[in-house]
Amino acid sequence: MNHTASPVPRTRHVTGRYTLMQSSYWASYCVILTFSSVYLLHQGFRNMEIGILISVSGILSAVLQPVVSRAADNLKRMSLRQFAMVLLVVQTVFSGLLRVLTAPAAQTVLYGCLMILLQLVLPLCSALGMDCLNRGIPLNFGVARGIGSVAYGVFSALCGRLVLWLGENSLPLAMLAINLVLLLSVATFRFRTPEAAGEGETSPKAEDTPADTRPFLRKYRGMVWILLGVVCLFISHNVLNTYAFQIVQPLGGTSEEMGTMLSIQAFAELPVMFGFVLLLKKASSRSLVRVCGVGFFLHALGAWVAPGMGVLYGVQIFEMPGYALYTLASIYWINDAVAPGDRVQGQAWFAMAMTLGNVLASFAGGLLLDYAGVSLLLAFATAAGGVGMVLLLVLLGKGRSCRKGMNPWSSVD
C-alpha cells in the first residue's frame, strides 16, 4: 500500500489536539453552567428564576439533542466537524452579545441559548473523537478527557479569582475567549487516514451498513430501557452533587468539608481516565458500562449510611467505577453498539438521558429536602442508583443486543 507524504502531518499530535478540544469544552462548561448563578444573580435574577432558566434550558437541550444529532448523522454538504463549528460560532457570538445586550429579556434568551448550545455540542465532540478512532488513527481518549477534567478544576479556581478581581461582568469576556479557543480547536481537528489522502471516506463499517431511515429508538428498541437506566443513574449522581452542602451538614460538615469532598471526588476520576486504554485491554466496553452501574449505586448507598465525614470522604472512591468510568466506557460502547450512520445520534441520546437525570434530580431532590429531609433524599438517590444498576446489569448481560431494532433479550446479531 502506497502512502503519500501529505497525510502524515494531519495525523500528528491528534491526542494533543483533541485534549485542547476537551479542555476548552469543559472550561466553557465551567464558565457558562457552573458560574451561571454568580453571573445571573449579579444581573438581578432571583434564585427561583435562575433555577427555572437552568431547568428549562436542560429540558430543551434534551429535546433538541436527538433532532440535532439526526441531522449530524445525515450530513451531505458538510462534515461533522463543520457542523459542530456552526453551533460553536453561534455560541461564541451569543457569549459576546451578553456584554452588549443587557436588558433582562435579552440576557434570559442569550444565556438560555448558551446553556442549550453548550449541551448540544458535547455529543458532537465525543463523536469527533470516536470518528478519529474509527478511521484507525491512534487517539488516547481517556487522557484527553482526564485533562479536560483537570481543566475544569483549574478554570473553576481561575474564574473565582477573575470575579474577585474584575467583577461578575468579566464572565462574558471569559466565555467569549474560551469559546473562541473551543471553536479553533474544532476547526483544526482535521486528519487524513494513512490509507487515503483524506477524501472524507467513512468509517470502515460504513459500506456494510444498509440504509435505514427509521427513527433511532425504533431501530434500537432495547435502547429505551438502557436509557432509562442511565436516567436513574444520573438522578442518583446529581442528587449527591447538587445537594452536596445539605448532605454534609447532618454529619457536621460545612462548606469547607463540602469542597474537600468534591475535590477528592474530582481527583478520584483521574486514574480511571488516564488508565482507560489499559482497562479496555482487560474488558469490553459493554462489561465496563455494567460495572459503572454498580459504582453509581455503591456511591449513593455509601453516602446514605455514612456515619461521619471521614467515611463520606472514603465513599468518594466509588466515583472511580461510577461516573469516571461511565464518561468513557459509555462513549466507546455506543460507538460499538450502533451502526456507523447512527453514532452521533447514539451519543446524543445518552447525553439527553444524563441531562434528564440532572433535571429530575434537581426537582425531586428539592422537594424531598423541603418536605422529608436529607435521609430520605439519600434513600431516593440510592433507590434510583439501584434501579439503574439492575437495568444495565440485565440489559447489557452476555448475549444481549440492541442492534437493528432487536429486543435487548435477543441473541447477538
Side-chain angles (χ1 to χ4, degrees), residues 216 252 276 312 380:
F216 186 85
F276 185 73
L312 190 59
F380 169 69

Side-chain angles (χ1 to χ4, degrees), residues 381-404:
T382 303
V387 171
M389 174 185 68
V390 170
L391 285 171
L392 292 192
L393 286 175
V394 171
L395 296 171
L396 297 179
K398 188 176 181 180
R400 311 295 189 193
S401 176
C402 309
R403 291 288 300 270
K404 300 178 182 176

Side-chain angles (χ1 to χ4, degrees), residues 236-314:
S236 176
H237 175 76
N238 285 299
V239 162
L240 298 182
N241 285 273
T242 302
Y243 300 105
F245 182 64
Q246 292 89 333
I247 290 169
V248 303
Q249 282 182 313
L251 302 178
T254 65
S255 59
E256 182 180 359
E257 282 74 22
M258 182 196 76
T260 301
M261 181 187 74
L262 293 177
S263 295
I264 294 171
Q265 189 182 105
F267 282 109
E269 296 176 3
L270 298 181
V272 172
M273 292 182 176
F274 288 140
F276 185 73
V277 172
L278 298 178
L279 289 176
L280 272 181
K281 293 179 180 179
K282 303 292 183 181
S284 67
S285 58
R286 177 166 62 178
S287 297
L288 293 175
V289 173
R290 298 179 81 210
V291 171
C292 298
V294 179
F296 277 98
F297 171 70
L298 292 177
H299 193 177
L301 178 63
W304 185 23
V305 302
M309 285 304 304
V311 175
L312 190 59
Y313 288 154

Side-chain angles (χ1 to χ4, degrees), residues 159-231:
C159 286
R161 294 279 185 177
L162 188 66
V163 170
L164 186 64
W165 293 335
L166 302 178
E168 290 82 355
N169 284 330
S170 61
L171 289 173
L173 297 177
M175 291 179 205
L176 178 61
I178 293 167
N179 285 329
L180 282 171
V181 175
L182 178 56
L183 175 60
L184 179 64
S185 69
V186 173
T188 57
F189 193 67
R190 302 177 66 181
F191 48 80
R192 295 180 179 180
T193 58
E195 293 80 8
E199 293 86 350
E201 73 277 9
T202 57
S203 55
K205 297 180 184 177
E207 65 269 21
D208 300 325
T209 306
D212 190 341
T213 59
R214 287 179 296 165
F216 186 85
L217 293 183
R218 285 187 61 193
K219 200 183 305 185
Y220 306 95
R221 290 194 300 266
M223 198 69 79
V224 174
W225 297 100
I226 295 174
L227 289 168
L228 177 60
V230 173
V231 170

Side-chain angles (χ1 to χ4, degrees), residues 9-278:
R10 297 279 184 164
T11 60
R12 277 184 181 171
H13 313 302
V14 172
T15 297
R17 287 186 282 139
Y18 191 68
T19 297
L20 177 63
M21 187 192 304
Q22 285 284 335
S23 298
S24 53
Y25 175 84
W26 290 107
S28 182
Y29 186 98
C30 170
V31 182
I32 294 174
L33 276 173
T34 305
F35 278 78
S36 58
S37 293
V38 175
Y39 176 75
L40 293 172
L41 282 171
H42 179 72
Q43 296 302 113
F45 286 71
R46 292 180 294 173
N47 283 311
M48 182 184 71
E49 293 169 336
I50 295 171
I52 291 172
L53 180 60
I54 292 173
S55 298
V56 170
S57 299
I59 293 168
L60 288 176
S61 72
V63 171
L64 288 172
Q65 274 165 347
V67 178
V68 171
S69 63
R70 186 176 177 86
D73 270 327
N74 292 283
L75 292 171
K76 290 184 172 62
R77 296 189 177 182
M78 65 172 66
S79 66
L80 176 61
R81 180 183 62 86
Q82 292 167 333
F83 185 75
M85 287 172 60
V86 171
L87 295 185
L88 286 170
V89 166
V90 178
Q91 182 173 308
T92 303
V93 170
F94 280 14
S95 59
L97 289 176
L98 278 177
R99 289 287 286 139
V100 179
L101 305 176
T102 57
Q107 291 282 302
T108 300
V109 171
L110 287 171
Y111 214 96
C113 289
L114 277 171
M115 289 190 284
I116 292 170
L117 287 165
L118 182 71
Q119 293 171 88
L120 292 178
V121 167
L122 177 57
L124 301 183
C125 289
S126 298
L128 283 170
M130 286 294 102
D131 184 48
C132 185
L133 289 171
N134 292 333
R135 293 171 185 262
I137 298 172
L139 165 69
N140 195 320
F141 199 103
V143 167
R145 181 61 181 85
I147 296 177
S149 290
V150 173
Y152 175 87
V154 170
F155 273 88
S156 294
L158 288 177
C159 286
R161 294 279 185 177
L162 188 66
V163 170
L164 186 64
W165 293 335
L166 302 178
E168 290 82 355
N169 284 330
S170 61
L171 289 173
L173 297 177
M175 291 179 205
L176 178 61
I178 293 167
N179 285 329
L180 282 171
V181 175
L182 178 56
L183 175 60
L184 179 64
S185 69
V186 173
T188 57
F189 193 67
R190 302 177 66 181
F191 48 80
R192 295 180 179 180
T193 58
E195 293 80 8
E199 293 86 350
E201 73 277 9
T202 57
S203 55
K205 297 180 184 177
E207 65 269 21
D208 300 325
T209 306
D212 190 341
T213 59
R214 287 179 296 165
F216 186 85
L217 293 183
R218 285 187 61 193
K219 200 183 305 185
Y220 306 95
R221 290 194 300 266
M223 198 69 79
V224 174
W225 297 100
I226 295 174
L227 289 168
L228 177 60
V230 173
V231 170
C232 290
L233 292 180
F234 275 85
I235 289 174
S236 176
H237 175 76
N238 285 299
V239 162
L240 298 182
N241 285 273
T242 302
Y243 300 105
F245 182 64
Q246 292 89 333
I247 290 169
V248 303
Q249 282 182 313
L251 302 178
T254 65
S255 59
E256 182 180 359
E257 282 74 22
M258 182 196 76
T260 301
M261 181 187 74
L262 293 177
S263 295
I264 294 171
Q265 189 182 105
F267 282 109
E269 296 176 3
L270 298 181
V272 172
M273 292 182 176
F274 288 140
F276 185 73
V277 172
L278 298 178

